[in-house]
Amino acid sequence: MKNCILALCVWALAFAAGAETLIIPGSGANEVLLKQLAEDFQHQYPSDQVQVPPSIGSSGGIKAVMNDETILARVGRPLREAEAKAGLKQWIFARDAIAFAVGEAVTVRSLSSSQLADIYSGRIDNWRTLGGADAPIRLLVREATETSAEILRRAFPALQKLDSLQQAKLVNHDYEMIELLDKYKTALGWMTASSLPSARTGIHLLAIDGASPTRPDMASGKYPALLEFSLVFKEERLNEIARRFIAYIASPAGQQILKENGVVAEANR
Amino acid sequence: MKARLPRTLAIPVIILLSLLSLGALTLGYWINVRALEKALDEKEHERLAAVAYAAIALIRDEQPRLSALAKALQDNERITQGFDRLAETDDITTLREAMNNLYVGLNVSVFQASDQTEKVLYRAQAPDRHGDTPVIWGVAEALAGEEITIVSKGPLGLALRVVTPIRRAGRIVGTLMVGQVLDDAFARRIAQRAGAEASFASPSGVWASSAPPERRLSPDDPGLTHSLSAKTAIEETDVVARKRRMLMPLKIVDEVFVLVIESDISGSYALLRESKQALLLKSLWILSGAILVGAAFTAYLLRPLKRLQLEAQALVQRISGQEIETDGVNEIGAAVRAFEVTTEVWNRYTANLEIARHAADAANLAKSQFLANMSHEIRTPMNGVLGMLELLLRDRQLSSRQQRYAELAQTSAKSLLRMIDDVFDFSQIEAGQLELVYRVFNPREIINEVAMLFAEVAQQKGIHFATQVDPKLPTAVRGDPGRLRQILSNLMDNAIKFTEQGSVTLEASVVDERAETYKGKADAGLWLRFAVRDTGIGVAPEVKEQIFEAFAQADSSAARRYGGAGLGLTIASRLVKMMGGNINLVSEPGCGSQFSFSVRVESMDAPTRNEAVG
């Protein structure tokens, strides 16, 4: 069903935009960055059309490539074994940290992964226990199936229960997370590091197990919870416009966009 | 094997018509039902959507109400007094009583006060229980100094709450909370207002509903997770339970949950069923009507074919006595076969007739030829007999007795010869061998000859005999005088024979060229009219036609009485016909008869007259 709708969308978009159109379906986490890249790319190549439709998830994008419904998909996670075996290639062009964030009233700046596990299992419910001020820990979580939750579970094996807590508020987007961290000043949540505008001083990103979600720790691999910005494709199906778009991302102009978005570029292919 | 049901075209035609009607009606039925289903589906969807938006409005309306309530209560004298009393004497009863009294008129499901350490001072549901510190979002935030509106799960379930700080002397001494729990009662309120079951669900399942527990949505319902992850409203139809659900993910304040509206669509189903039945009934009526009309029309179309077949059958039966085999064919086949058989029988019949006619003609010809030959053969010895009798009568030595015998023999022989001549003439006419011999002659001479011949006989019989000859009668015409004489002799002979007393008159005249009867024929020649009138026994009207037939006399006893072969009138009639005329008989039994006729001759001009006579 989902595939049918996607196929229809792809077809409709292709029809609307003409033959020289590249459609890149996939993950929601990648959406904003890819839209910016697509926009800048079209400035350079006005005859090319690149469409970044709303999220259908990383898995949806991968499936679309597998079924030859699209040439490129935007994907936020590594390929699974079966997907790699099906002949799919993944090009990771940037990474970003999935970082825990706290509201203004929280003084704690770093936590261990076992402390996090205690918090999310309900054993610790006050910042006082963690050396902070006496204030309840308000938990803001993302959906269990969401890519960022998946990445955190993978990066911190102690953290398996992230969302099933009764006393937690479900959040759908990074911008909502920021809103609620502002409202609940003693809250703890997580988001992609680059989503937090540098001007916002009230919200703080936490270091976990001594590694901070900053460029050096990410680049060195010390900080483990990383969102990958990648394109998935079948090598033999790559057409001219897809190759041009990939080349553009690796070019200085594309790298500049990545830098502006605060992600760590991984231009090596 | 032969007694099979007749195959008729009516059955396949009716079946075809029925199938066509059935097809058209089925298509119509299908289209109608589809349209109906779509309309009902649309109606149900609109109803569900209307109910859902009404429910959302109801929930959203709670927010300003609670907010206004919180603001009013913040400065409520009795509550502030209660807090003052608590701070001064550690006595909670004043606050408790104040809040108990207020709660009655508030129409909220959450009414709660906490101190500055989040400890509960009063809760409306359990006024006696206090001192605990439940985790309720908003209390800590309000203690930080600002009123806060939140939707979150608390001990009573998901609730919309407004928490406001209570200040005394510039210090925050506690919080006051008013709220509305989205519980079963609230769901029932929506249900009552909107006319459909309402439920609130989170990813872990339904936590409040207007429906009894056994009818609530299962937490495993795929629609629930789907609507949450897709973030769009989805609709499900439970065909078995006749329910339709709309699952609408909602974000009220800062909490995401799913509002489930479930409406009973059995009414629509009943309407659909009724409409289907009515449609089916009408379709059946139309179908039966179509079949009846088809049958009647087919019968009407096939009737002439059946008639054709029956008439052919009657004809064939009459001609040949055979049956037309029409087993195993339809009406058209039967008509074709009937026509084939009729044609075949008719051909055979006409061929037989032709053969029979040829045989009859041949037999008649043979008979006539035989008679002609025989007459000729008989006449030769008869002439010998007559010659010898002539010689015998000239013998002076005959005694008077021998003389009388010889004369009798001569009369009989002459009579026999005349009869033979008649038979010979008749058979020649019948065989078509008699031909008229044309030459120029004087008709007056013929009259005179005939008159001379019969004057003596008439005189002997004591009958008055006269001739009346038209002065305009030409003296030279071209025709067959011998045959004309024969006709007149026959008629005269006849007239004298059947007249016992009175007179016999022979008339001859020229037909007036202006006479109506012969108009248009005048240029074909000259017409002479003859008539023989007598005062004899006459001819009865009923036998008038017969007397010109061969061998016929008016009465079979007449033959015995008057003698003769009865061929005289026949021969006369045939000869007149050959000359272009007709014998006309005017007669009254007992008073006499008149035989008249006209014959065509060629008129001879005066210069040729003498030559002709000479």
Side-chain angles (χ1 to χ4, degrees):
Chain A
M1 186 63 195
K2 214 169 181 177
N3 284 330
C4 288
I5 293 170
L6 171 74
L8 202 68
C9 284
V10 169
W11 177 82
L13 284 169
F15 191 75
E20 280 298 289
T21 298
L22 183 66
I23 295 154
I24 312 176
S27 145
N30 282 344
E31 193 176 323
V32 179
L33 181 59
L34 264 168
K35 266 188 178 152
Q36 283 188 36
L37 287 169
E39 213 170 287
D40 195 61
F41 173 72
Q42 274 169 205
H43 274 291
Q44 289 198 20
Y45 302 94
S47 64
D48 290 345
Q49 284 273 323
V50 179
Q51 308 266 4
V52 182
S55 165
I56 55 165
S58 293
S59 298
I62 290 169
K63 222 177 259 175
V65 173
M66 254 201 247
N67 298 342
D68 290 339
E69 285 158 3
T70 190
I71 290 167
L72 288 183
R74 51 182 212 264
V75 171
R77 60 166 174 81
L79 287 182
R80 299 199 174 113
E81 212 172 303
E83 292 162 353
K85 269 187 188 159
L88 299 187
K89 290 268 153 51
Q90 185 174 34
W91 178 50
I92 298 165
F93 60 87
R95 288 179 209 272
D96 196 359
I98 302 295
F100 286 94
V102 290
E104 199 179 357
V106 178
T107 51
V108 174
R109 291 289 174 267
S110 88
L111 289 172
S112 70
S113 52
S114 64
Q115 281 174 326
L116 280 170
D118 281 347
I119 292 169
Y120 282 101
S121 62
R123 281 190 291 273
I124 296 174
D125 61 1
N126 199 300
W127 289 113
R128 192 182 46 211
T129 323
L130 300 163
D134 179 15
I137 302 173
R138 306 292 191 214
L139 286 180
L140 303 173
V141 297
R142 301 291 302 271
E143 291 149 88
T145 52
E146 214 268 331
T147 304
S148 63
E150 232 176 85
I151 290 167
L152 286 178
R153 276 197 296 268
R154 221 175 33 239
F156 308 108
L159 284 181
Q160 290 313 310
K161 265 180 78 172
L162 275 170
D163 51 355
S164 55
L165 231 67
Q166 277 292 310
Q167 292 297 331
K169 223 177 230 314
L170 191 67
V171 175
N172 281 334
H173 302 280
D174 273 355
Y175 64 82
E176 255 179 48
M177 182 64 82
I178 292 166
E179 248 172 52
L180 290 189
L181 282 168
D182 272 343
K183 182 174 174 181
Y184 301 103
K185 293 177 171 46
T186 63
L188 170 67
W190 72 80
M191 65 178 100
T192 48
S194 62
S195 298
L196 188 67
S198 46
R200 300 293 285 266
T201 49
I203 296 166
H204 298 281
L205 302 182
L206 299 184
I208 309 296
D209 293 333
S212 64
T214 52
R215 207 173 282 262
D217 281 2
M218 279 157 67
S220 67
K222 206 174 156 193
Y223 190 82
L226 293 176
L227 171 72
E228 289 162 350
F229 292 88
S230 73
L231 292 175
V232 167
F233 49 85
K234 283 183 182 168
E235 185 91 53
E236 69 276 11
R237 292 249 310 151
L238 281 181
N239 58 6
E240 274 308 301
I241 181 170
R243 284 177 199 284
R244 264 205 296 283
F245 186 65
I246 289 170
Y248 157 79
I249 294 175
S251 76
Q255 294 297 302
Q256 180 60 32
I257 302 274
L258 297 183
K259 202 175 165 192
E260 281 167 13
N261 275 275
V263 297
V264 179
E266 298 272 350
N268 54 323
R269 193 175 156 183
Chain B
M1 282 313 281
K2 217 180 151 198
R4 287 217 318 264
L5 274 175
R7 272 175 62 177
T8 170
L9 207 57
I11 291 167
V13 168
I14 290 167
I15 288 173
L16 185 71
L17 281 175
S18 310
L19 285 178
L20 283 175
S21 315
L22 191 67
L25 287 169
T26 309
L27 188 66
Y29 177 81
W30 186 77
I31 289 170
N32 263 310
V33 167
R34 272 297 150 92
L36 204 64
E37 279 174 351
K38 211 178 160 209
L40 285 173
D41 187 72
E42 195 83 355
K43 194 192 107 197
E44 290 296 342
H45 164 76
E46 274 168 20
R47 189 168 140 223
L48 265 186
V51 168
Y53 284 109
I56 292 166
L58 210 62
I59 299 167
R60 292 233 155 100
D61 283 352
E62 286 293 299
Q63 195 184 336
R65 182 176 81 92
L66 291 173
S67 194
L69 211 57
K71 277 206 173 58
L73 290 170
Q74 195 178 20
D75 301 320
N76 184 283
E77 213 170 296
R78 294 173 67 188
I79 289 178
T80 47
Q81 271 176 9
F83 270 100
D84 285 345
R85 220 25 211 273
L86 185 66
E88 287 158 13
T89 63
D90 210 21
D91 174 19
I92 203 166
T93 49
T94 316
L95 182 67
R96 191 188 295 166
E97 269 167 30
M99 288 185 74
N100 254 342
N101 290 337
L102 283 166
Y103 177 64
V104 177
L106 277 184
N107 189 25
V108 291
S109 54
V110 175
F111 189 39
Q112 193 168 322
S114 310
D115 67 6
Q116 69 268 40
T117 63
E118 291 188 58
K119 275 202 188 82
V120 173
L121 298 172
Y122 168 86
R123 50 162 77 83
Q125 290 77 20
D128 297 330
R129 194 156 63 87
H130 64 91
D132 54 329
T133 313
V135 183
I136 300 173
W137 287 42
V139 177
E141 282 76 5
L143 283 174
E146 272 173 63
E147 182 189 292
I148 186 166
T149 303
I150 58 167
V151 173
S152 67
K153 293 176 208 87
L156 298 172
L158 191 83
L160 174 64
R161 297 186 184 87
V162 176
V163 191
T164 186
I166 301 290
R167 289 189 171 83
R168 300 306 297 154
R171 253 182 70 232
I172 293 171
V173 294
T175 62
L176 192 70
M177 184 192 294
V178 288
Q180 181 62 52
V181 182
L182 303 183
D183 54 5
D184 290 355
F186 189 75
R188 275 197 292 275
R189 239 169 76 196
I190 292 175
Q192 212 170 11
R193 195 89 62 92
E197 299 281 14
S199 308
F200 305 108
S202 67
S204 50
V206 172
W207 76 80
S209 171
S210 61
E214 67 273 12
R215 290 210 340 251
R216 291 182 186 188
L217 200 63
S218 144
D220 308 325
D221 189 276
L224 196 58
T225 43
H226 183 214
S227 73
L228 269 173
S229 60
K231 300 174 184 76
T232 54
I234 62 160
E235 279 179 56
E236 297 171 343
T237 302
D238 187 340
V239 183
V240 180
R242 302 279 152 88
K243 300 268 187 216
R244 185 164 168 143
R245 270 194 294 276
M246 181 180 268
L247 296 111
M248 190 178 260
L250 278 184
K251 190 180 165 207
I252 305 259
V253 187
D254 50 21
E255 184 72 23
V256 176
F257 62 93
V258 179
L259 172 70
V260 184
I261 300 291
E262 190 175 75
S263 78
D264 184 5
I265 53 170
S266 55
S268 285
Y269 266 89
L271 188 65
L272 187 66
R273 201 178 54 240
E274 268 172 41
S275 307
K276 272 181 177 173
Q277 279 171 357
L279 209 57
L280 203 62
L281 201 65
K282 275 179 198 152
S283 298
L284 282 176
W285 274 114
I286 294 172
L287 186 64
S288 0
I291 291 171
L292 280 178
V293 168
F297 190 62
T298 310
Y300 170 75
L301 283 182
L302 293 178
R303 205 182 305 140
L305 281 180
K306 184 73 192 165
R307 225 177 62 208
L308 180 67
Q309 188 205 335
L310 287 177
E311 276 173 20
Q313 172 68 67
L315 183 65
V316 167
Q317 181 89 42
R318 195 153 46 79
I319 292 174
S320 69
Q322 82 184 69
E323 291 268 340
I324 298 175
E325 187 68 41
T326 55
D327 276 2
V329 291
N330 58 35
E331 285 85 346
I332 291 176
V336 168
R337 187 164 298 174
F339 191 75
E340 283 170 358
V341 172
T342 309
T343 311
E344 186 194 314
V345 166
W346 182 256
N347 285 342
R348 223 163 45 221
Y349 176 67
T350 48
N352 287 341
L353 275 184
E354 192 69 11
I355 290 165
R357 199 172 63 82
H358 276 125
D361 284 355
N364 202 32
L365 192 65
K367 180 200 78 186
S368 300
Q369 274 172 352
F370 170 76
L371 280 176
N373 292 341
M374 283 309 287
S375 304
H376 184 72
E377 295 306 317
I378 292 166
R379 203 156 45 173
T380 311
M382 269 315 289
N383 282 330
V385 170
L386 277 170
M388 288 306 111
L389 283 172
E390 188 77 46
L391 288 176
L392 187 63
L393 281 169
R394 281 183 198 166
D395 195 338
R396 302 289 174 189
Q397 292 174 332
L398 286 180
S399 67
S400 62
R401 187 183 185 149
Q402 283 171 326
Q403 178 83 21
R404 210 170 59 241
Y405 286 168
E407 280 174 1
L408 201 59
Q410 189 186 34
T411 309
S412 297
K414 276 185 181 170
S415 177
L416 182 59
L417 185 62
R418 206 165 58 243
M419 278 172 72
I420 289 165
D421 280 343
D422 278 354
V423 170
F424 176 68
D425 283 348
F426 177 73
S427 48
Q428 271 209 314
I429 290 167
E430 283 285 283
Q433 286 171 359
L434 188 120
E435 277 174 18
L436 297 177
V437 182
Y438 292 94
R439 62 188 176 86
V440 178
F441 70 95
N442 185 349
R444 289 166 188 267
E445 279 177 10
I446 300 294
I447 300 286
N448 289 340
E449 281 169 26
V450 173
M452 269 163 60
L453 197 63
F454 286 95
E456 199 181 348
V457 188
Q459 201 182 358
Q460 282 169 6
K461 246 186 134 178
I463 302 166
H464 176 75
F465 173 69
T467 57
Q468 288 177 9
V469 177
D470 188 351
K472 281 187 280 178
L473 195 72
T475 52
V477 295
R478 192 178 156 81
D480 189 335
R483 293 298 172 188
L484 182 59
R485 190 188 301 116
Q486 191 182 357
I487 297 164
L488 291 172
S489 300
N490 283 357
L491 292 180
M492 279 302 295
D493 188 50
N494 213 40
I496 288 167
K497 194 188 284 175
F498 292 106
T499 305
E500 300 302 331
Q501 56 182 26
S503 63
V504 171
T505 313
L506 174 61
E507 291 175 9
S509 60
V510 178
V511 174
D512 187 349
E513 286 181 13
R514 288 163 302 180
E516 194 68 20
T517 329
Y518 299 101
K519 209 170 180 183
K521 292 183 185 173
D523 56 353
L526 187 66
W527 287 85
L528 303 182
R529 182 177 179 276
F530 300 90
V532 176
R533 220 167 40 230
D534 66 57
T535 57
I537 60 170
V539 182
E542 60 270 21
V543 294
K544 261 187 186 175
E545 299 301 318
Q546 288 174 19
I547 61 167
F548 296 107
E549 302 274 317
F551 310 107
Q553 279 176 335
D555 187 336
S556 53
S557 65
R560 288 190 297 277
R561 193 167 153 201
Y562 303 106
L567 282 173
L569 279 179
T570 308
I571 290 165
S573 160
R574 297 286 172 93
L575 289 174
V576 169
K577 262 197 188 120
M578 286 175 79
M579 291 180 190
N582 255 320
I583 293 185
N584 187 30
L585 168 63
V586 180
S587 175
E588 205 174 313
C591 294
S593 313
Q594 178 188 294
F595 288 88
S596 61
F597 65 93
S598 299
V599 294
R600 195 178 58 196
V601 292
E602 258 178 79
S603 168
M604 293 290 119
D605 288 328
T608 58
R609 195 197 304 166
N610 294 335
E611 183 194 349
V613 173

